[in-house]
Amino acid sequence: MFQRLKTWFAKAPAQPVQQLAADNIPQHIAIIMDGNGRWAKKRGLPRMAGHHSGMKTVKRITMEANRLGVKYLTLYAFSTENWKRPKDEVEFLMKLPQEFLSIELKELIENNVQVRMMGLRENLPAHTLSAVEEAIQRTKNNTGLVLNFALNYGSRKEMIEAVRHIGEEIQSGRLKPEDINDSHMNEALLSSGLPDPDLLIRTSGELRLSNFMLWQLAYSELWFTDVYWPEFTEHHFHEAVSEYQRRARRYGGL
Ligand code: IPE
Ligand code: IPE
Ligand code: MG
């Protein structure tokens, strides 16, 4: 009996959902999932073990976000700068989406999750892209949580592409420079169709954005933790949402 109780407590989120205000759940949460390598190093394991373990956190946090009623969850999985890493690490990271989806896609579908990708499709290996495209295709009519993977994503490249697109609109006479406004940028960005993140979480103690959603995070609430991504739990996730609910968002007003 005692053993059973202990197991239950180990599985249950440490902070019950009831303590979060159900009417103030962030609509869009973005996460910079950082610290996989350091988590592994701390345990004397290869960096890849950290990435592998981080995949389990992706699953747990996705399910919890869905349960809380978050509408969009954007996860920074691979940046346009991460290509600088050693070839074997890049290759390993490029195999993770396939592995993740081959294990989890069924359950994501059962939970009405819609998978999307935000990033530059060029340069991604065919096997990575086809796994992601299959998941997008098979979940496109789902109406629950939108699980948006930022894969080969970089904000500066994204903005340069957006500006190029707007430039072409001007050159062709479809748009006048004086008419450019926020919505032209929003539509030209890779995040087109998504609301701006309400809450940004970064794990691993780094206090920077690392080229992530520079335009979209203009008025997001930022929350940082020293916890490495593989050890990030539902409890930490609740902590972040709970802190978000205590913030006053003023958008420059009073
Ligand atoms: C985050 O963990 C995953 C990716 C960037 C792909 P890291 O691999 O950056 O881990 P650290 O920051 O070196 O510990
Ligand atoms: C940001 O983490 C990118 C992802 C989490 C995918 P990095 O580990 O690449 O960031 P830096 O190099 O510490 O800024
Ligand atoms: Mg890192």
Side-chain angles (χ1 to χ4, degrees), residues 31-35 38 47 75-82 85 150 153 202 204 206 208-212:
I31 307 183
I32 303 177
M33 311 183 286
D34 199 14
R38 279 165 284 166
R47 292 178 57 82
L75 301 178
Y76 204 6
F78 192 89
S79 79
T80 46
E81 286 68 42
N82 288 147
R85 296 189 178 196
Y153 175 87
R202 182 170 190 153
S204 92
E206 306 299 353
R208 55 176 170 263
L209 295 179
S210 302
N211 204 14
F212 190 52

Side-chain angles (χ1 to χ4, degrees), residues 39-248:
W39 177 88
K41 192 172 174 206
K42 200 170 82 178
R43 281 165 180 72
L45 298 167
R47 292 178 57 82
M48 318 297 171
H51 296 314
H52 207 264
S53 180
M55 213 168 59
K56 300 204 177 81
T57 310
V58 169
K59 159 77 183 305
R60 284 211 314 271
I61 298 306
T62 299
M63 291 306 166
E64 189 57 16
N66 198 23
R67 200 171 75 87
L68 289 180
V70 173
K71 184 61 196 155
Y72 303 93
L73 180 68
T74 296
L75 301 178
Y76 204 6
F78 192 89
S79 79
T80 46
E81 286 68 42
N82 288 147
W83 297 105
K84 292 178 197 158
R85 296 189 178 196
K87 191 164 168 277
D88 58 341
E89 179 162 347
V90 169
E91 274 173 12
F92 186 88
L93 288 168
M94 286 298 147
K95 281 188 193 132
L96 282 187
Q98 264 153 295
E99 187 180 344
F100 176 77
L101 291 166
S102 71
I103 302 167
E104 309 297 354
L105 185 58
K106 189 167 168 282
E107 205 177 326
L108 294 176
I109 291 172
E110 283 163 8
N111 283 278
N112 200 20
V113 172
Q114 186 190 114
V115 177
R116 290 197 205 172
M117 184 198 138
M118 179 177 80
L120 303 164
R121 279 168 157 76
E122 65 255 25
N123 309 333
L124 284 179
H127 62 85
T128 311
L129 194 55
S130 68
V132 176
E133 295 289 9
E134 187 197 330
I136 293 172
Q137 214 34 45
R138 288 181 60 191
T139 62
K140 66 170 192 271
N141 296 321
N142 290 353
T143 53
L145 174 81
V146 172
L147 174 59
N148 182 37
F149 286 104
L151 194 59
N152 195 20
Y153 175 87
S155 207
R156 288 191 168 188
K157 276 212 171 74
E158 173 191 43
M159 287 201 268
I160 287 169
E161 280 309 314
V163 170
R164 201 191 314 280
H165 172 76
I166 292 171
E168 284 164 4
E169 294 286 291
I170 291 171
Q171 205 172 31
S172 69
R174 286 191 292 269
L175 182 66
K176 294 199 194 93
E178 59 270 30
D179 290 339
I180 301 173
N181 57 32
D182 279 32
S183 67
H184 292 104
M185 270 306 272
N186 285 333
E187 279 160 29
L189 293 170
L190 293 165
S191 57
S192 161
L194 301 173
D196 289 340
D198 299 292
L199 171 65
L200 171 81
I201 296 173
R202 182 170 190 153
T203 58
S204 92
E206 306 299 353
L207 306 180
R208 55 176 170 263
L209 295 179
S210 302
N211 204 14
F212 190 52
M213 302 187 90
L214 302 181
W215 168 275
Q216 300 88 337
L217 292 171
Y219 265 109
S220 308
E221 295 300 324
L222 311 179
W223 190 84
F224 298 95
T225 173
D226 287 340
V227 169
Y228 295 140
W229 179 247
E231 59 199 10
F232 186 81
T233 63
E234 291 90 336
H235 168 73
H236 302 112
F237 191 57
H238 283 205
E239 252 178 32
V241 174
S242 171
E243 164 71 24
Y244 167 85
Q245 296 191 332
R246 289 192 294 274
R247 304 261 180 101

